[in-house]
Amino acid sequence: MFEILFKDDELVGINKPAGMLVHRSNIDKHETRFVLQELRNQLGQHVFPVHRLDKPTSGVLLFALNSDCARQLSEQFTANQIDKRYWLVCRGHTPEKGEIDYALVPKNDFKSRDGKPEVKKPAQEARTLYSSKAHYELDESVDKYPTSRYSWVEAQLVTGRKHQLRRHFKHIAHPIVGDSRYGKASHNQFFERKWACSRMLLHCYSMGFTLPATGQQLHLIAPPDEQFMAALKGLEGYRL
């Protein structure tokens, strides 16, 4: 059962668990559990996806309950009118505040069916704002340095590109812990050994948007899961 953050006659917001695809995809053909299907079964009614979170990302996820609401919410996402804020833990000490303005080439997870080389698409504008919530330093050598540094960060998506936060924090040399694609295996394995944290530490903590039916602003907050909080609690003893 998913944690319901909000529900009315037009939409529902849930706290998506890490490790689940939003809907069926050729990316993971072996998967048998999908948020879309299980939420439909939980509510006993059809739901319309209006955005997505990566499989390893947790947090606020919205679904419309009718096609009109789905269209209006999708328009808000397309126009970057949704206030999306994430918590993440990354390697190294980030600046107290910053902006990452780095265009991203669209990612395609699917191979060409006809075997022809994929046509490279132009880079798209991508902007992320962030602020550091805490810095940590552990007297343990995980990589090539005698100590290991990490940051707990709140990030705000100004644009919404695929894997934007994962790619942006890799770009500034602060990859997200637990990210098997853009992160560093040594740090991912360290968190799993030390705090039994096997997930990517990226969580959509809050989301603000306009209710299509009333025009009122709604702000949803999703608490992180036990693994995420165990990592933060474990790091707390090393806060600078």
Side-chain angles (χ1 to χ4, degrees):
M1 298 283 285
F2 297 116
E3 177 185 2
I4 304 295
L5 304 173
F6 175 84
K7 184 180 181 300
D8 65 6
D9 293 336
E10 291 211 313
L11 65 91
V12 59
I14 69 167
N15 189 356
K16 172 192 172 296
M20 283 191 73
L21 287 169
V22 174
H23 48 70
R24 192 178 300 275
S25 169
N26 288 331
I27 300 174
D28 288 294
K29 294 182 179 181
H30 66 282
E31 287 291 345
T32 58
R33 297 180 64 231
F34 310 96
V35 176
L36 181 66
Q37 179 180 355
E38 296 202 6
L39 181 61
R40 179 189 65 197
N41 294 340
Q42 180 175 335
L43 299 179
Q45 65 182 112
H46 191 70
V47 295
F48 299 77
V50 294
H51 69 118
R52 65 187 293 274
L53 292 176
D54 293 341
K55 178 181 176 181
T57 306
S58 57
V60 183
L61 184 63
L62 301 181
F63 290 87
L65 300 180
N66 60 65
S67 57
D68 286 340
C69 181
R71 176 184 54 80
Q72 293 178 67
L73 282 175
S74 295
E75 289 173 353
Q76 290 186 50
F77 277 98
T78 301
N80 297 320
Q81 296 173 340
I82 308 290
D83 183 8
K84 296 166 284 188
R85 297 176 188 257
Y86 290 72
W87 281 0
L88 61 94
V89 176
C90 63
R91 184 172 65 91
H93 287 170
T94 56
E96 291 301 320
K97 291 185 178 181
E99 177 179 358
I100 308 171
D101 188 349
Y102 178 69
L104 298 172
V105 174
K107 286 284 186 179
N108 184 6
D109 289 315
F110 305 101
K111 296 180 180 178
S112 174
R113 293 182 179 179
D114 56 13
K116 295 180 180 179
E118 181 184 343
V119 177
K120 191 173 183 179
K121 298 178 182 178
Q124 299 173 319
E125 177 193 13
R127 292 176 57 219
T128 298
L129 304 176
Y130 69 89
S131 60
S132 299
K133 297 178 72 67
H135 289 151
Y136 312 96
E137 185 164 8
L138 285 68
D139 190 21
E140 299 190 45
S141 179
V142 176
D143 209 334
K144 57 185 177 181
Y145 304 104
T147 62
S148 299
R149 295 180 173 186
Y150 301 99
S151 298
W152 173 20
V153 176
E154 180 172 295
Q156 179 183 7
L157 286 177
V158 181
T159 57
R161 307 303 181 195
K162 187 171 185 178
H163 298 170
Q164 179 171 316
L165 291 179
R166 299 165 67 180
R167 296 169 72 185
H168 266 180
F169 278 86
K170 179 186 177 183
H171 172 69
I172 64 170
H174 293 290
I176 297 173
V177 173
D179 190 340
S180 60
R181 184 166 185 173
Y182 303 102
K184 295 203 69 175
S186 57
H187 293 274
N188 301 348
Q189 293 162 4
F190 173 70
F191 270 66
E192 186 166 7
R193 291 194 308 269
K194 193 168 184 67
W195 293 301
C197 181
S198 58
R199 58 158 296 174
M200 180 173 71
L201 292 176
L202 178 60
H203 176 76
C204 184
Y205 178 72
S206 71
M207 187 174 294
F209 57 96
T210 302
L211 289 169
T214 64
Q216 294 179 323
Q217 289 292 309
L218 184 65
H219 184 232
L220 301 182
I221 293 178
D225 65 15
E226 290 183 1
Q227 281 198 42
F228 199 113
M229 292 308 300
L232 286 181
K233 289 176 182 178
L235 287 168
E236 190 62 25
Y238 304 93
R239 184 192 284 256
L240 297 179

